[in-house]
Amino acid sequence: MNKTPDIRFVASDLDGTLLHSDGRLNDDFFPVLNRLKTANIWFAAASGRQLFNLQKVFEKVKDEIIFIAENGSYIVYKGQEIHVEALSEKTAHQLIHIARQIPGVQIVLCGKKTAYIESDTPEFINPLHQYYEKIEKVNNLLDVKDDQFLKVTVCDLKGAEKNSYPWFRKMKRKVQVKLSGNIWLDMSHILANKGKALEIIQNMYNITSEQTMSFGDCLNDIEMMRQAYYSYAVENAHPKVKKAARFLTASNDHDGVLQVLKQLVPATGNR
């Protein structure tokens, strides 16, 4: 940043962006968040993760930040719902039927109440616990009732981008199909993405794109890059995310997000 922008809202992806590759959140984040608050700058954690998992990651400050969970399908602040963009039961079932045709993948039906699975094999459940705090095993995902379905996720150990994504390409006019990690592919409501979530928050607090800063690394962050003028891709980001972002910062393991925010906050902290 050559000059200090008038930032009022910062949104950051977690995995591959704010968090280190081992899933750790640098303790420096907490004093930086306090300085953002002092400068009247909102902070949102924007992730494909489950809300309950996000609240655990940010347990110490869970009432001080906005949570954009499930790739923008669910927005919560101080325990209060701001926005829900759920799939219809019919569409969720259609996605499950498609996923069942792909050899070797596991399916997660992501509800507001919990995440539903049919398999708990170690190679699937171990990475799942990194992103989901509440999980319920059921006999048949199609029998799940009495919940709102925020997204359908496929865990593909063969590689989601090349192996699973082609199966869902035909659904892109009906749902969001987003690569959210090497082995993760997420399908959510056509109106649900991180960029739309940023727009909802911007409208709530009368914040412009030019007053917004975003950070990301994966394809589910691209809309968020477009919704913020000060959009940053971390060095380890997918090439398409780097192309969508206006700026580049250091990798997640070198705390690229915090490097930018530490430059921003001292310059704006006395406003």
Side-chain angles (χ1 to χ4, degrees):
M1 294 177 293
N2 294 326
K3 69 175 185 176
T4 304
D6 177 30
I7 300 299
R8 294 297 172 183
F9 179 30
V10 173
S12 179
D13 172 58
L14 266 66
D15 297 284
T17 304
L18 180 62
L19 302 182
H20 288 188
S21 295
D22 60 4
R24 181 175 60 87
L25 177 64
N26 191 322
D27 285 340
D28 284 356
F29 169 79
F30 298 103
V32 168
L33 176 64
N34 189 56
R35 292 170 189 166
L36 290 172
K37 287 176 56 187
T38 300
N40 296 314
I41 299 172
W42 293 95
F43 180 85
S47 175
R49 292 186 180 219
Q50 185 185 54
L51 172 66
F52 307 109
N53 181 273
L54 292 176
Q55 290 171 329
K56 181 179 180 180
V57 172
F58 295 98
E59 175 67 29
K60 294 196 296 186
V61 291
K62 65 181 181 180
D63 288 332
E64 300 175 25
I65 65 179
I66 301 169
F67 292 113
I68 300 173
E70 308 282 12
N71 283 340
S73 296
Y74 197 22
I75 309 174
V76 172
Y77 178 56
K78 289 188 175 181
Q80 299 296 313
E81 286 185 8
I82 294 175
H83 186 74
V84 180
E85 200 72 76
L87 291 164
S88 69
E89 182 180 280
K90 178 181 178 180
T91 300
H93 287 185
Q94 186 177 3
L95 293 167
I96 291 168
H97 283 303
I98 295 172
R100 283 179 171 173
Q101 299 176 56
I102 311 172
V105 306
Q106 302 292 347
I107 310 167
V108 188
L109 178 59
C110 306
K112 267 179 56 177
K113 296 179 180 179
T114 190
Y116 304 93
I117 59 173
E118 294 174 335
S119 170
D120 58 1
T121 58
E123 62 269 21
F124 169 51
I125 202 71
N126 290 339
L128 189 67
H129 276 298
Q130 182 178 346
Y131 309 108
Y132 295 88
E133 197 64 24
K134 291 188 178 182
I135 302 169
E136 179 180 337
K137 186 181 178 184
V138 298
N139 291 328
N140 189 340
L141 295 176
L142 300 177
D143 291 338
V144 175
K145 307 291 181 184
D146 192 32
D147 203 347
Q148 290 179 277
F149 305 135
L150 302 176
K151 71 180 195 304
V152 173
T153 291
V154 168
C155 177
D156 188 344
L157 298 179
K158 294 181 180 179
E161 186 170 11
K162 292 184 178 180
N163 192 52
S164 297
Y165 175 78
W167 288 81
F168 293 95
R169 188 179 289 119
K170 62 185 179 182
M171 293 289 290
K172 289 191 71 173
R173 292 186 178 182
K174 300 176 73 172
V175 298
Q176 294 282 346
V177 182
K178 295 295 181 185
L179 187 75
S180 59
N182 292 333
I183 64 172
W184 301 103
L185 188 70
D186 296 333
M187 279 66 65
S188 52
H189 193 284
I190 191 65
L191 298 179
N193 61 67
K194 295 182 184 182
K196 182 64 176 179
L198 261 62
E199 182 183 3
I200 290 168
I201 296 166
Q202 288 167 335
N203 290 338
M204 281 183 60
Y205 298 112
N206 195 28
I207 297 170
T208 67
S209 172
E210 289 74 19
Q211 293 174 314
T212 304
M213 182 177 285
S214 65
F215 299 87
D217 77 304
C218 205
L219 299 184
N220 60 339
D221 297 320
I222 286 181
E223 289 88 353
M224 187 165 66
M225 300 292 100
R226 294 171 179 161
Q227 193 60 30
Y229 180 84
Y230 292 93
S231 54
Y232 284 83
V234 287
E235 178 57 44
N236 52 290
H238 191 287
K240 290 182 179 180
V241 179
K242 290 182 178 180
K243 185 176 180 180
R246 284 189 173 88
F247 305 97
L248 186 67
T249 186
S251 72
N252 62 321
D253 287 325
H254 289 89
D255 294 307
V257 175
L258 290 180
Q259 287 186 31
V260 175
L261 294 183
K262 285 177 180 179
Q263 293 178 40
L264 172 70
V265 173
T268 61
N270 293 323
R271 290 186 305 187

